[in-house]
Structures are given as structure tokens and as C-alpha cells.
Amino acid sequence: MFIRKRRGWEIPEGAATPEALVFGRRAALKAAGLASIAMPGLARAADFPQSTRNGRYEPGRAITAEREVTTYNNFYEFGTDKGIYRPAQKLPLSPWTVKVDGLVDRPREFSVEDLIKAMPVEERVYRLRCVEAWSMVVPWTGFPLTALLAAVGVQSSAKYVRFETAALPAVMPGLRQSWYPWPYVEGCTIEEAGNDLSFLVVGAYGKPLLAQNGGPIRFHQPWKYGFKAGKSLTRISLVAERPKSFWEAIQPQEYGFWANINPEVPHPRWSQASERVLGTGERVPTQLFNGYGEFVSGLYSGLQRERLWG
Ligand code: MTE
């Protein structure tokens, strides 16, 4: 099926900063300030917090075996096959900093160690549905994007969040494939960023996040196809213009900006009606918004003219 491409200028602009980005700013700032003393040399694993599970987002499906999640991956910087966990071990995960800049009151570079101490870290079991029609269920450790944005203060002119991920030619052989538009960039609207489900992930299965899964820090919005989840983030920028994402730059008629999950809208080359659940041998029906519609469908009212799916 041919999917009509919509243009960036068709977006109605929401002027207000979402409430969640404003409330809680004081608490987040206080926490960020407390944790700003660097603690060099702490081993990632030894220092990793055991966090409480947030029961609000139960996935309704069994957690996928850790081995599947850590050995079947998409991370094109390390290669195009699913076994990139081997070369990915060369990625140096500590020290690691993430710059938060652009249209914010207090631009800042955070070390991941400091973020783990300062942010409201918890466990959330999320589904992940890849555009390639496989899926998994993972207990991620992380914190809502809203907490980080509250710490830097989002300006009202910010309309989008742009995520940039690591590009380290010395350890990432995929970067030699110069026809790809490196670095891997992704983005979402400020309204989507303000949804509590938007999650910055620093761990999985109670341990620090492994390189192959996007360690030490990645993004995830579980109602969108997995390619929206930038791995090994280095920079988060608040911007006025819609960022052009990696896959959109390569193949805009197949991978859109919104990339919300909808079983009724096929990829131009395959159906999205069902998905293969990793590690189970099962094929199950795909759900609208990956089953998270009650939390996110309101984000899209008034945007029916956008190409919201796929
Ligand atoms: N992030 C970067 N930097 N590079 C990538 O190639 N692949 C994306 C996403 N994030 C990718 C990325 C895709 S297509 C998917 S499905 C998920 O990561 C896969 O995450 P997982 O390997 O942890 O399952």
C-alpha cells in the first residue's frame, strides 16, 4: 500500500509547554544540584540502583528472556546483522556524558552516573515492537524524560526534542558505510516528550544497560516503532524545527517522523498486523499504539492530516 507523505509544515503548532515539564522543576533541579559532585571511578554495576517497579504500565505479556534481548539487536553503527552484541562490546560506556541544550534555560552536560543519582529512577516493563514485525517485553530501568527536561527548563519556543546518538568511528565499523546519514538522529514533539511514558533508559533486568541495547543511556516511547528509540545518546536538544530522523532521511516513504504503531497500516513492503514475539515462537496480533492507546491517543487529536502511522 502506498502511504502518502505528509510535510512538516502541515503540523498544527501547540504553543504551550506541557504541564509535566513545568511542575516538578524545583524538585528535579534540587536533585540535579545535589548530585553534581562527580564520583569518578565507581564501577557501573556495583553502583547501579535496585529500583522499584512502576505498576502503572503492566505489559500484559511475559518478560522476554534476557539472552534474547541482549543478543538479537538493531544497532547499525556496529553492523546490519542482529549479532552486533559482539562488536558492540568495544563501546566505552563510562565515563559518558549527555549534553542537554537548545531552547532551554539551563543548558548542561550531565554524566550518566549523576543522572542515575539525581533522577527518579524506577523500573518499567515495556513492550518494544520493531518495524520489522518482531517484539519483546523488557524490564527497563530509567526515568521519565520529563524529569530531565524539568531540570534544564524548557523554553516556550521549543516544539521538538532532537536525540543524537554516539558516532565513534574507532569502535563503530558501521560508520564506514558512508551512504548512511550518521549520526543516528531521532525526534519527537514537545507534547510527546511530555507524556509520562517517554522514558530514558539506563538499565535492563536490574543491571546497567549493555552496549548492544544502547548503553549507557537510550530513549524509548513504547507506542512507537523501535527505530524511534535512539541508542547510546550523546545529545538531547530542544528545538523549534522538526528534526529529520535517520530512517526518514534514508527512506521517507517507508519510515515517517511519527511512526506510531498501527496494525492496520502496513509497511509498504510487509504487513504490520501481527508480530513475532522473541524467544516464544509465537505470533500475536499487533495492537494500536502497541497497546498504550489509553495513555497516548489524546496526543494526536487534531493531527489526523499527519501521516501518524509507520
Ligand atoms: N539507535 C541507534 N543509534 N542505531 C540503530 O541502528 N536501531 C533502532 C533502535 N535504536 C538503532 C537505534 C531499531 S530499528 C530498533 S528496533 C531498536 O533500536 C532496537 O533496540 P534493541 O536492539 O535494544 O532491541
Side-chain angles (χ1 to χ4, degrees), residues 61 126-137 220-229 259-267 270-277 283-287 289-292:
R61 209 181 271 174
Y126 275 176
R127 300 163 179 232
L128 187 152
R129 166 63 155 83
C130 179
V131 73
E132 297 163 343
W134 53 265
S135 69
M136 58 192 198
V137 181
H220 190 206
Q221 291 175 312
W223 70 97
K224 291 176 178 279
Y225 288 114
F227 67 85
K228 296 296 292 178
N260 293 308
I261 296 169
N262 186 341
E264 291 178 10
V265 179
H267 183 276
W270 59 84
S271 164
Q272 296 290 24
S274 66
E275 63 205 58
R276 179 171 63 86
V277 185
R283 231 189 147 82
V284 301
T286 290
Q287 295 180 47
F289 289 117
N290 204 20
Y292 295 93

Side-chain angles (χ1 to χ4, degrees), residues 88 109 116 153 205 225 267 296 298 305:
E109 192 148 349
I116 290 172
Y205 299 91
Y225 288 114
H267 183 276
V296 300
R305 291 179 45 156

Side-chain angles (χ1 to χ4, degrees), residues 71-74 76 79-85 130 132 134 276:
T71 58
Y72 187 92
N73 300 98
N74 278 333
Y76 273 43
T80 52
D81 69 88
K82 298 288 187 265
I84 56 78
Y85 65 93
C130 179
E132 297 163 343
W134 53 265
R276 179 171 63 86

Side-chain angles (χ1 to χ4, degrees), residues 4 33 88 147 173 206 223 277 307 309:
R4 184 165 110 67
W223 70 97
V277 185
R307 180 189 146 186
W309 320 105

Side-chain angles (χ1 to χ4, degrees), residues 73-77 130 136 165 184 213 218 226-227 229 231:
N73 300 98
N74 278 333
F75 203 160
Y76 273 43
E77 288 85 335
C130 179
M136 58 192 198
T165 80
Y184 196 99
N213 292 115
R218 73 174 296 167
F227 67 85
K231 288 179 162 180

Side-chain angles (χ1 to χ4, degrees), residues 21-264:
L21 304 187
V22 180
F23 298 129
R25 179 171 293 173
R26 187 186 298 263
L29 265 180
K30 195 170 149 225
L34 280 177
S36 63
I37 306 151
M39 306 275 279
L42 286 173
R44 286 182 80 224
D47 204 35
F48 196 71
Q50 293 314 298
S51 48
T52 314
R53 183 173 294 180
N54 181 338
R56 193 165 176 227
Y57 306 118
E58 282 308 310
R61 209 181 271 174
I63 289 176
T64 305
E66 184 177 357
R67 195 181 155 70
E68 296 285 339
V69 172
T70 55
T71 58
Y72 187 92
N73 300 98
N74 278 333
F75 203 160
Y76 273 43
E77 288 85 335
F78 291 101
T80 52
D81 69 88
K82 298 288 187 265
I84 56 78
Y85 65 93
R86 293 188 195 89
Q89 302 317 310
K90 292 217 172 102
L91 185 66
L93 298 179
S94 178
W96 189 285
T97 58
V98 184
K99 193 188 279 184
V100 187
D101 65 359
L103 301 168
V104 297
D105 295 334
R106 297 169 292 278
R108 192 170 150 186
E109 192 148 349
F110 294 88
S111 81
V112 172
E113 280 91 348
D114 284 352
L115 285 176
I116 290 172
K117 290 189 181 68
M119 294 285 126
V121 171
E122 62 182 27
E123 185 173 73
R124 293 187 183 186
V125 186
Y126 275 176
R127 300 163 179 232
L128 187 152
R129 166 63 155 83
C130 179
V131 73
E132 297 163 343
W134 53 265
S135 69
M136 58 192 198
V137 181
V138 186
W140 301 116
T141 304
F143 53 91
L145 173 61
T146 52
L148 179 62
L149 296 185
V152 293
V154 175
Q155 296 177 352
S156 60
S157 51
K159 302 288 180 239
Y160 297 92
V161 186
R162 177 184 183 275
F163 299 90
E164 186 172 317
T165 80
L168 300 169
V171 294
M172 294 175 156
L175 298 189
R176 280 181 233 137
Q177 300 187 306
S178 55
W179 55 91
Y180 285 120
W182 311 112
Y184 196 99
V185 166
E186 261 305 340
C188 68
T189 66
I190 197 76
E191 291 78 14
E192 291 174 321
N195 188 282
D196 184 56
L197 279 170
S198 297
F199 205 48
L200 284 162
V201 176
V202 294
Y205 299 91
K207 297 171 227 169
L209 195 62
L210 297 176
Q212 58 268 42
N213 292 115
I217 183 164
R218 73 174 296 167
F219 191 48
H220 190 206
Q221 291 175 312
W223 70 97
K224 291 176 178 279
Y225 288 114
F227 67 85
K228 296 296 292 178
K231 288 179 162 180
S232 306
L233 298 170
T234 52
R235 189 173 177 191
I236 300 175
S237 307
L238 279 292
V239 294
E241 304 292 324
R242 186 193 284 196
K244 164 110 7 129
S245 53
F246 180 82
W247 284 107
E248 197 187 4
I250 296 167
Q251 201 61 281
Q253 63 281 36
E254 299 195 356
Y255 307 101
F257 169 78
W258 298 92
N260 293 308
I261 296 169
N262 186 341
E264 291 178 10

